[in-house]
Amino acid sequence: GVKTLSVAAADIVDGRLSLVDALVRMSLVQSKSEARRLIQHGGAYIDEHRIEDIDAVVPPPTSGTCIVIRVGKKKHGLISIS
């Protein structure tokens, strides 16, 4: 199934949620080091855009209140903005 993470809008707007933290909090990866490795090797996507910067933050949604996070081809997560 799809893993979900609910976060406050202020955390997204202020750029306080890093992609590394989001991946760990959604249990899409086991550790922060695994998340960083995955990002460096081009295996992490935010709304179908590949992210290769390990310091990337989760951006505000382009439409609606959800952001799709994908790891590899089959693992998906949904960040819901509250």
Side-chain angles (χ1 to χ4, degrees), residues 31-43:
S31 65
K32 288 187 175 189
S33 60
E34 184 185 344
R36 284 190 281 270
R37 216 173 12 258
L38 182 84
I39 294 166
Q40 284 174 325
H41 291 116

Side-chain angles (χ1 to χ4, degrees), residues 51-71:
I51 307 299
E52 294 178 347
D53 175 11
I54 60 170
D55 297 319
V57 295
V58 177
T62 49
S63 64
T65 58
C66 291
I67 301 164
V68 177
I69 303 288
R70 181 165 63 89
V71 172

